[in-house]
Amino acid sequence: MQGLPLLVITHRCEQQYRLQHAHPQKRIAGFNDAPGLLKQHRYHAIVFELDEQEKAGCDALENILAAELAGDVATTPLLLGCGDWSREQQENRLRLKGFDRLLPLMFSDEQVRAIPLRPEPDLHELCALAGHQQPVIEAMIPTLLRTLSSDLRQLENLQHDGSLIQIADLAHRMKSSFHLLGMRYARRRCITMERLPALLHEQRVNEAQATKMRHRFGIAVHESYQFLQRALGVTANE
């Protein structure tokens, strides 16, 4: 994946961005042009410029996450934001929207390449929450898996006769478990599913796309759960 190119998504025109940021080799796209470009090419990372138009950048991210869930574009390993800010104050808030990491506005290729792509499951967040105490970590993993198992059974029922709002609420809950267990792609799918009712209301996706995304969400989270059990060597019943 490291050999794939980097894409920068900006609210500026390409020429203006290159003049201001001196990135002659980067691939540049406007917020509205990115989904079409992603249908043609794959990238190691996408960087969203958020300094002056954060909402537009977050909307662009949502559109790409929706396209990933719908299967219209390939999944990009790293989704990054860049801007002039105190990253400590903003990172947690923006990670809830789907960003993997924040960069300074004048970032370098080396800074992007230095971001580790840890294999899933990545238990970094869980270890930090548990204070790096191994007995606590070992106790939390089966609990999280039991929670996911219960959520997946509920999701199976909702897929038949539940509302989109009910599935979105369940995705919100599942997001926390996948986040702590270091399943970033499953977490992305939960973020998108949680937002799907709003995206549908705002006419950013249509009914046919929403139905497809709802179906693919169920498949994706089940596969992620099964992968977790195999990777961790733990079942929900242990």
Side-chain angles (χ1 to χ4, degrees):
M1 286 294 184
Q2 287 283 1
L4 293 173
L6 165 70
L7 174 66
V8 177
I9 300 179
T10 175
H11 56 85
R12 311 170 202 275
C13 70
E14 180 178 348
Q15 183 179 12
Q16 183 186 31
Y17 184 89
R18 293 192 187 281
L19 286 172
Q20 292 185 357
H21 296 270
H23 293 319
Q25 302 304 318
K26 289 184 172 63
R27 302 194 181 188
I28 315 297
F31 286 155
N32 295 327
D33 301 327
L37 197 58
L38 289 169
K39 290 180 180 180
Q40 304 171 40
H41 306 285
R42 298 189 68 186
Y43 296 91
H44 166 65
I46 303 174
V47 181
F48 298 78
E49 191 180 22
L50 304 174
D51 62 326
E52 295 176 5
Q53 296 191 25
E54 181 183 306
K55 184 182 184 304
C58 291
D59 286 349
L61 172 66
E62 282 189 341
N63 291 339
I64 288 172
L65 289 177
E68 285 188 357
L69 180 55
D72 295 334
V73 302
T75 297
T76 301
L78 284 173
L79 299 175
L80 312 170
C82 71
D84 263 336
W85 46 42
S86 169
R87 281 189 286 167
E88 291 76 16
Q89 295 177 358
Q90 301 289 353
E91 189 146 14
N92 287 336
R93 179 176 63 83
L94 289 173
R95 283 180 70 183
L96 292 175
K97 295 181 179 293
F99 291 99
D100 295 309
R101 194 72 65 86
L102 300 186
L103 295 169
L105 190 59
M106 301 296 289
F107 68 92
S108 66
D109 288 355
E110 289 71 24
Q111 286 174 295
V112 175
R113 285 195 292 268
I115 297 173
L117 265 178
R118 299 186 182 96
E120 295 183 325
D122 171 16
L123 300 182
H124 175 78
E125 294 288 344
L126 183 62
C127 290
L129 181 65
H132 300 279
Q133 300 179 59
Q134 193 61 31
V136 178
I137 296 167
E138 292 175 359
M140 290 180 71
I141 288 174
T143 300
L144 289 167
L145 287 173
R146 282 194 295 271
T147 300
L148 280 173
S149 178
S150 174
D151 289 342
L152 287 169
R153 287 194 298 272
Q154 185 177 350
L155 176 62
E156 188 172 351
N157 293 329
L158 290 176
Q159 291 283 39
H160 295 295
D161 54 15
S163 69
L164 192 58
I165 294 291
Q166 288 175 307
I167 296 176
D169 289 343
L170 186 59
H172 173 74
R173 187 161 74 239
M174 295 173 70
K175 177 178 66 177
S176 298
S177 297
F178 280 125
H179 173 65
L180 287 174
L181 290 167
M183 299 293 287
R184 67 178 177 278
Y185 298 131
R187 183 176 71 97
R188 283 187 197 176
R189 306 302 175 244
C190 290
I191 288 170
T192 305
M193 198 67 216
E194 182 184 356
R195 284 283 297 152
L196 188 54
L199 296 175
L200 190 60
H201 177 73
E202 295 165 6
Q203 298 184 336
R204 291 164 59 188
V205 299
N206 58 39
E207 291 284 355
Q209 289 170 320
T211 299
K212 182 180 179 182
M213 291 163 71
R214 175 172 168 161
H215 173 70
R216 287 175 59 88
F217 173 73
I219 294 172
V221 292
H222 271 93
E223 289 179 347
S224 293
Y225 173 73
Q226 291 168 354
F227 175 81
L228 268 171
Q229 288 188 303
R230 293 193 301 269
L232 297 173
V234 179
T235 67
N237 296 321
E238 290 186 1

